[in-house]
Amino acid sequence: MKVIYPGTFDPITNGHLDILKRGLNLFEEVTLLVSFHPWKKTLFSIEERVEMIKEVTKDIKNIKVESYSGLLVDYIKKNKITGVIRGLRAVSDFEYEFQMALTNREMNRDFETIFFMTDIQYMYLSSSMVKELAKLNADIKNMVPKEVMERLQNKYKA
Ligand code: ADP
């Protein structure tokens, strides 16, 4: 089964890595698909996000990293993807994920979205929270890999 884990990953967090590893427990290979939409403002450029992911996953086998700027269902069709992985944290994720999964299914019925429940320690972890904390110079070492923490600190250095 060809699966992708799509997301913005601005930046990748330990929560994302947890979902990725859970995915690899079930599937032979997972492609991390980094989305790039010019209208969506991100702290890190698409190149930086991909670079960071490659750095922090270099010791994980069977993962690929790619980026895309179009419609997810088009990527899925073109690359004959049969499964999409997403992560669920609190109930608050459910509504959005439900809407996305059903909209995508409406456009393409040849793939399934598979949800992985986060580990309890990552329940409240999000890229936006990590950025806010880094901006305020808080300790984020348990939330993101070291390389990501350093890049965040550099971004917010006065
Ligand atoms: P998007 O903009 O597509 O939501 P994100 O990079 O924020 O991109 O998230 C990608 C996926 O990873 C989503 O399914 C999101 O729910 C999931 N995710 C993000 N943070 C966590 C976490 N701490 N634990 C589990 N899943 C997470």
Side-chain angles (χ1 to χ4, degrees):
M1 190 168 178
K2 256 181 138 176
V3 298
I4 55 169
Y5 178 22
T8 313
F9 305 108
D10 184 42
I12 189 161
T13 68
N14 290 345
H16 291 129
L17 287 170
D18 179 65
I19 298 296
L20 174 68
K21 286 174 193 160
R22 283 171 201 285
L24 285 167
N25 287 338
L26 278 193
F27 306 110
E28 265 147 48
E29 187 185 90
V30 175
T31 299
L32 241 148
L33 192 63
V34 191
S35 69
F36 164 60
H37 301 305
W39 62 87
K40 198 166 170 179
K41 219 180 147 343
T42 53
L43 175 67
F44 293 100
S45 70
I46 182 69
E47 292 81 13
E48 288 175 310
R49 284 180 279 144
V50 168
E51 221 174 82
M52 266 186 282
I53 293 171
K54 286 189 174 159
E55 270 171 34
V56 305
T57 58
K58 65 178 188 305
D59 296 326
I60 307 176
K61 281 196 197 87
N62 304 325
I63 117 146
K64 276 200 210 156
V65 187
E66 277 180 27
S67 61
Y68 84 107
S69 63
L71 203 57
L72 188 67
V73 287
D74 291 340
Y75 179 94
I76 287 170
K77 208 168 266 174
K78 201 165 142 227
N79 294 281
K80 301 193 168 52
I81 305 296
T82 45
V84 171
I85 292 176
R86 295 284 288 178
L88 281 181
R89 280 160 294 188
V91 183
S92 50
D93 275 342
F94 178 78
E95 187 74 32
Y96 173 73
E97 294 293 339
F98 187 64
Q99 200 175 16
M100 281 278 288
L102 292 191
T103 306
N104 285 336
R105 184 188 286 166
E106 204 52 50
M107 294 188 276
N108 178 354
R109 295 191 168 269
D110 300 330
F111 76 97
E112 290 298 334
T113 307
I114 303 124
F115 294 99
F116 286 89
M117 210 66 80
T118 189
D119 194 272
I120 196 138
Q121 59 179 313
Y122 305 127
M123 179 107 182
Y124 299 105
L125 179 53
S126 67
S127 298
S128 43
M129 173 75 84
V130 164
K131 283 181 280 193
E132 283 300 310
L133 290 173
K135 211 188 288 178
L136 298 167
N137 220 358
D139 185 1
I140 51 166
K141 71 170 183 305
N142 294 327
M143 302 177 184
V144 289
K146 193 166 145 277
E147 294 89 335
V148 175
M149 185 176 81
E150 286 165 3
R151 290 215 192 207
L152 275 164
Q153 286 165 343
N154 280 338
K155 277 273 179 203
Y156 290 122
K157 217 158 46 193

